[in-house]
Amino acid sequence: MGWIRDGERVAGKYCDELIQGVVLDSRVKYGGKVQLTVLLDRPIQLRWRTEPTRQVLVDSDQVVTVAG
């Protein structure tokens, strides 16, 4: 089980919102943590933005489930 999750479906938490989507990109951040770029199935509305958010950056420790 590697750190590259590109193309996999994930579910997790982002800013107290439950999210689901497909991983577009995986990268190792400075310090060794893995960060995923997730294209959301359903856009979320964040209070500091006027438009719905369709893509988020999530650390791998915030991901709850992974499906190939």
Side-chain angles (χ1 to χ4, degrees):
M1 191 146 155
W3 61 271
I4 299 174
R5 300 269 181 225
D6 299 1
E8 295 182 344
R9 297 195 51 74
V10 295
K13 206 160 189 156
Y14 178 81
C15 293
D16 294 329
E17 293 274 341
L18 294 175
I19 61 161
Q20 289 185 12
V22 177
V23 177
L24 298 177
D25 185 50
S26 306
R27 75 180 192 99
V28 178
K29 298 188 328 182
Y30 183 75
K33 231 178 186 184
V34 175
Q35 184 179 59
L36 309 172
T37 303
V38 180
L39 179 63
L40 302 176
D41 293 340
R42 183 182 50 86
I44 58 173
Q45 183 65 51
L46 301 171
R47 65 174 190 244
W48 57 87
R49 297 198 55 186
T50 56
E51 296 178 7
T53 302
R54 297 181 177 276
Q55 193 171 329
V56 293
L57 298 174
V58 179
D59 288 339
S60 61
D61 58 358
Q62 295 173 311
V63 172
V64 179
T65 61
V66 176

